[in-house]
Amino acid sequence: MNRKVTVVGAGNVGATTAQLIAEKGVADVVLVDILDGIPQGKSLDMTEAAPVWNTSARVFGANDYGPTEGSDVVVVTAGLARKPGMSRDDLLHANARIVRAVASEVGKRSPEAVIIVVSNPMDVMTQVVFQETGFPARRVVGMGGVLDSARFRAFVAMEAGVSARDVSALVMGGHGDSMVPLPRYTMVGGIPVTEILDKARVQELIERTRNGGAEIVGLLKSGSAYYAPAAASAEMAEAVLRDEKRVLPCAAYLEGQYGVTGVYSGVPVKLGAGGVEAILELKLSDEELKAFQASARAVQEAVSKLGESKSA
Ligand code: APR
């Protein structure tokens, strides 16, 4: 196998992402973490699972970036996870320091990679990676919309009593409290959800989606969600590696689209070998556009906060 994916952070999200990529057999995986033995141990465990997974993919673990050289895709999950009662923004400063250091290392060693950013607050960390690497914006993309849409799809499927496979959904905006789920683009087997569930119920499912991450943190008590975040990250990595031209909601750098400039926010994009190959512009209602722009503004403010603390 000659395609290579580096996953930085061998915690819950990173290791599960590595597992899914290896199981799919789309690339070899290098798992990097600062903790001595953790990436090595987890990658050896996956290596021993490979015969049963029936995959030729190889998995390596390291505490340094040497083995990551020439990666096609880098998934950044390094950082601290949310604890109960902690907002994604509480993580802002601590994770920015970590993500900046990671971006500088991977940028040097894999200058042609597409970088998928998962660490929270995700939209802001994506911008940090973009700034730190100096990569073209299309090769730095954030994982949020695929996860938020998956949560919304799961809740709609549970409510309607249908297979989650038949539910498609679009959630735009920031990956956080300001996300913008769009029920009119949410379909159950091609039928708008608004024709299947009543408006009040759809609104409740939207609220549950908005709090999807916090609901899991509350249940787990220590640590945050990882199966769905990893599934979403692996789906994005696969879209890039196989040049699938998937249409997925991802955090992309906006340059005038939706009236927003110079900031990452969740929009439908075409994801392929080149990274974000196009940003799809929908006609949003005034209300939706306002909500979207407010969520982009929140990211912009967090980015500025970081800029100030960096220069202080
Ligand atoms: N370089 C590499 N790895 C690092 C660094 C660093 N500088 N700093 C921390 N890590 C590693 C930790 O050692 C840990 O193994 O990142 C890993 C994070 O794993 P978990 O604590 O299990 O967190 P996880 O649930 O995987 O979430 C990771 O994704 O969804 C987001 O909010 C979540 O920001 C968090 C990230």
Side-chain angles (χ1 to χ4, degrees):
M1 195 143 308
N2 52 16
R3 310 306 302 281
K4 193 197 280 187
V5 175
T6 286
V7 180
V8 187
N12 283 335
V13 177
T16 312
T17 302
Q19 173 191 348
L20 291 169
I21 292 169
E23 257 193 284
K24 285 172 197 272
V26 284
D28 288 340
V29 182
V30 180
L31 195 52
V32 178
D33 202 289
I34 43 169
L35 297 178
D36 180 34
I38 296 292
Q40 293 87 350
K42 290 191 179 182
S43 60
L44 179 59
D45 199 0
M46 285 187 244
T47 299
E48 291 163 5
V52 187
W53 288 341
N54 199 23
T55 178
S56 309
R58 295 168 300 169
V59 187
F60 307 92
N63 298 120
D64 67 295
Y65 287 82
T68 72
E69 197 97 27
S71 293
D72 300 284
V73 172
V74 176
V75 183
V76 178
T77 77
L80 310 175
R82 269 201 297 171
K83 309 227 160 45
M86 204 177 174
S87 82
R88 288 190 179 91
D89 279 346
D90 292 337
L91 291 177
L92 180 68
H93 290 273
N95 279 357
R97 266 193 303 276
I98 293 171
V99 167
R100 234 179 245 130
V102 169
S104 147
E105 294 289 347
V106 297
K108 275 185 282 190
R109 290 179 176 78
S110 301
E112 300 304 323
V114 171
I115 305 184
I116 298 169
V117 183
V118 182
S119 308
N120 272 316
M122 180 279 299
D123 310 85
V124 185
M125 293 307 123
T126 309
Q127 190 126 350
V128 166
V129 171
F130 168 59
Q131 288 167 346
E132 191 68 33
T133 55
F135 277 19
R138 65 185 167 79
R139 286 202 283 111
V140 179
V141 57
M143 190 293 292
V146 176
L147 169 60
D148 296 329
S149 303
R151 285 182 172 147
F152 192 39
R153 290 165 65 190
F155 298 147
V156 168
M158 280 155 63
E159 181 66 23
V162 300
S163 165
R165 285 172 60 198
D166 292 323
V167 182
S168 60
L170 178 57
V171 176
M172 289 177 57
H175 177 55
D177 305 334
S178 60
M179 67 178 70
V180 186
L182 297 171
R184 66 195 174 92
Y185 290 115
T186 299
M187 304 288 165
V188 179
I191 305 162
V193 69
T194 44
E195 290 181 29
I196 294 203
L197 301 175
D198 70 54
K199 214 171 158 193
R201 196 65 194 120
V202 171
Q203 199 49 45
E204 282 168 20
L205 301 181
I206 286 177
E207 279 317 307
R208 190 170 181 194
T209 303
R210 224 185 278 290
N211 297 322
E215 184 179 1
I216 303 227
V217 169
L219 288 167
L220 294 181
K221 310 244 172 12
S222 85
S224 54
Y226 56 99
Y227 290 113
S233 307
E235 181 173 59
M236 288 172 65
E238 189 175 10
V240 173
L241 290 161
R242 294 194 198 274
D243 191 20
E244 288 183 309
K245 321 280 187 207
R246 296 285 311 272
V247 176
L248 297 171
C250 301
Y253 190 69
L254 300 177
E255 293 169 290
Q257 296 91 343
Y258 299 98
V260 174
T261 300
V263 66
Y264 272 86
S265 194
V267 288
V269 308
K270 182 166 88 174
L271 196 63
V276 175
E277 297 180 356
I279 291 175
L280 308 185
E281 278 202 81
L282 307 174
K283 254 202 161 351
L284 297 183
S285 68
D286 286 351
E287 201 186 328
E288 288 162 351
L289 190 62
K290 243 199 255 153
F292 177 81
Q293 292 177 340
S295 116
R297 244 189 334 269
V299 175
Q300 185 74 72
E301 277 161 20
V303 170
S304 319
K305 243 186 270 168
L306 277 180
E308 285 159 20
S309 69
K310 201 182 172 189
S311 53

